[in-house]
Amino acid sequence: MLIPAVLLMRDIYLRVTIQHPCAPDVPHPERRTARGAPRLGHLWENIKTSLKSKLFIRGFYVFPEMLNKYNYGVVEMNVCELRTKYQRILEMPLMKYDTMRLELSELILENEDDTRKGIVSIVEQARKKIKAIDQETERVRGMMAFEEKYSEYSWIAGIDEVGRGPLAGPVLTAAVILPKGCIIPGLNDSKQLTAKQREELYDIIMSNAIAVGVGMNSEKVIDEKGIEFANKDAMRQAISHLQTTPDLLLVDAVHIPDISIKQVSIIKGDAKSVSIAAASVVAKVTRDRMMQDYDLTYPQYHFGDNMGYGSAAHLEALREYGPCPIHRESYIKKIMERFNAE
């Protein structure tokens, strides 16, 4: 048995020279194994690297798992393997932050004594990522102060609006009931987020919320009854569209009339309450998607970029083409008068 084993080891060694793209990037003399045998560790390291994908040796396939099974503390993961593992951990979904933290901690524990520069760098990155995860979860917990203050209520709904200021399009509101203690990393006032972040958070909120309701009033209602009425009426619609009736409303900055449910108005609530922040994200993404659809019908106004707000390109289009059916006449009246007077 000894001679065939030696021949097999020799055969493997000849196949796994240091030209391998994932070979360790540390000079040979600095390579060490868990038992302090550099030459054996070097050989074993390269065997492991080469067998990362199945390798055909003397008529049969060998897999990395076969070597892992008989690992007696000699095998070290090379830098390329560890970097791949680290990237895989970082690609976990946002709501898997607990699992991500656990796996990063395990990665650090398994490699913190390794002195190779590449490994040290990855371990340090993992420590920084854990710190970032902890800071973000603490930030989100800090936005639960109002939810905790009113914890005796079973169904707390956050309510927010978007679209008070644009020259075109509807005002839209959302109401969201989140599970108690639900931490969504990255959740914040929608105005503080990028479009990509809002889209990702929208999907998470819609998947995890107990209930979501949306309300809307068109530019015609805004022109006829004013933005205050249109906004508060849209909030009432959003509440009525919730699948679960809330027993407390946390509202961003306003008081909603004609509602019997207890409500608490919070100035800058979308930055202080997770429930209101979730509502602000849902409202913003929903309205932005509507304006992107309008952009297909009225491309000259660039609604897909400005969402109906008075950007330079939007104002120039108003000057050249005049208003379209979704413009708020009460908002653009003075603008059009100025253009016509020029």
Side-chain angles (χ1 to χ4, degrees):
M1 291 296 292
L2 180 59
I3 293 175
V6 171
L7 291 174
L8 178 59
M9 291 295 288
R10 183 203 65 182
D11 212 30
I12 294 173
Y13 185 76
L14 292 175
R15 291 169 182 265
V16 293
T17 57
I18 59 174
Q19 299 98 314
H20 193 284
C22 281
D25 55 3
V26 180
H28 173 77
E30 296 182 17
R31 295 195 181 103
R32 291 292 184 271
T33 67
R35 296 186 182 276
R39 294 184 64 81
L40 179 57
H42 178 201
L43 169 60
W44 196 263
E45 212 168 61
N46 284 331
I47 292 170
K48 285 277 291 179
T49 299
S50 180
L51 295 182
K52 185 176 177 68
S53 298
K54 60 187 180 182
L55 179 66
F56 191 78
I57 300 176
R58 289 190 178 278
F60 62 94
Y61 284 109
V62 178
F63 294 87
E65 292 78 6
M66 296 172 65
L67 293 180
N68 286 334
K69 183 177 180 181
Y70 300 104
N71 178 5
Y72 294 102
V74 178
V75 180
E76 288 180 337
M77 183 176 286
N78 64 50
V79 177
C80 183
E81 289 175 318
L82 190 62
R83 186 175 293 113
T84 299
K85 180 178 180 179
Y86 177 65
Q87 291 300 325
R88 178 188 60 77
I89 295 173
L90 295 187
E91 290 169 2
M92 288 183 178
L94 201 58
M95 292 301 285
K96 294 287 186 181
Y97 62 92
D98 276 340
T99 304
M100 181 187 294
R101 193 188 189 288
L102 177 62
E103 293 201 12
L104 287 170
S105 298
E106 291 174 351
L107 182 149
I108 293 170
L109 186 63
E110 292 168 359
N111 297 277
E112 61 185 351
D113 294 330
D114 198 314
T115 59
R116 286 174 290 172
K117 291 181 180 179
I119 302 294
V120 170
S121 175
I122 295 170
V123 168
E124 184 58 28
Q125 291 175 50
R127 287 197 176 103
K128 289 180 179 178
K129 183 61 180 178
I130 287 177
K131 183 178 180 180
I133 291 172
D134 291 344
Q135 289 175 340
E136 179 58 18
T137 53
E138 281 305 306
R139 184 192 66 80
V140 176
R141 283 193 182 96
M143 293 176 65
M144 294 181 175
F146 286 96
E147 283 78 3
E148 291 173 357
K149 180 179 179 180
Y150 298 102
S151 60
E152 69 272 19
Y153 291 89
S154 299
W155 312 112
I156 300 176
I159 303 172
D160 200 10
E161 55 76 25
V162 64
R164 290 177 64 96
L167 306 180
V171 61
L172 192 142
T173 65
V176 176
I177 302 176
L178 292 174
K180 288 190 174 184
C182 178
I183 294 178
I184 302 177
L187 184 59
N188 206 342
D189 171 10
S190 63
K191 295 185 290 296
Q192 305 300 319
L193 303 170
T194 66
K196 182 178 179 181
Q197 289 171 329
R198 288 194 295 266
E199 288 286 344
E200 183 178 8
L201 287 167
Y202 175 90
D203 291 338
I204 292 172
I205 293 165
M206 298 301 288
S207 298
N208 289 273
I210 292 170
V212 176
V214 172
M216 182 187 74
N217 272 316
S218 69
E219 61 285 339
K220 290 183 174 56
V221 174
I222 295 171
D223 287 335
E224 291 173 5
K225 298 188 176 182
I227 187 62
E228 288 299 323
F229 172 86
N231 181 39
K232 292 175 181 178
D233 181 67
M235 288 183 172
R236 287 191 290 268
Q237 293 177 36
I239 296 166
S240 69
H241 292 157
L242 287 167
Q243 302 91 330
T244 300
T245 302
D247 50 3
L248 178 70
L249 306 176
L250 300 180
V251 191
D252 186 24
V254 302
H255 178 83
I256 310 170
D258 303 321
I259 288 289
S260 59
I261 303 169
K262 177 179 173 61
Q263 55 185 295
V264 177
S265 177
I266 305 170
I267 303 299
K268 296 184 178 179
D270 43 11
K272 298 177 181 178
S273 160
V274 290
S275 303
I276 298 177
S280 77
V281 170
V282 171
K284 176 65 174 169
V285 171
T286 303
R287 187 180 186 279
D288 283 359
R289 290 177 179 178
M290 291 181 64
M291 296 308 294
Q292 287 161 2
D293 288 341
Y294 281 130
D295 187 49
L296 300 177
T297 306
Y298 310 107
Q300 64 271 36
Y301 300 100
H302 309 282
F303 289 142
D305 296 324
N306 58 55
M307 305 304 165
Y309 288 87
S311 68
H314 188 180
L315 293 175
E316 185 58 34
L318 272 174
R319 182 196 301 271
E320 184 174 353
Y321 302 105
C324 75
I326 69 165
H327 275 102
R328 302 174 183 178
E329 293 181 5
S330 56
Y331 277 49
I332 65 171
K333 181 179 179 181
K334 291 184 179 179
I335 296 173
M336 297 309 299
E337 288 175 354
R338 186 173 75 248
F339 288 161
N340 293 333
E342 292 176 353

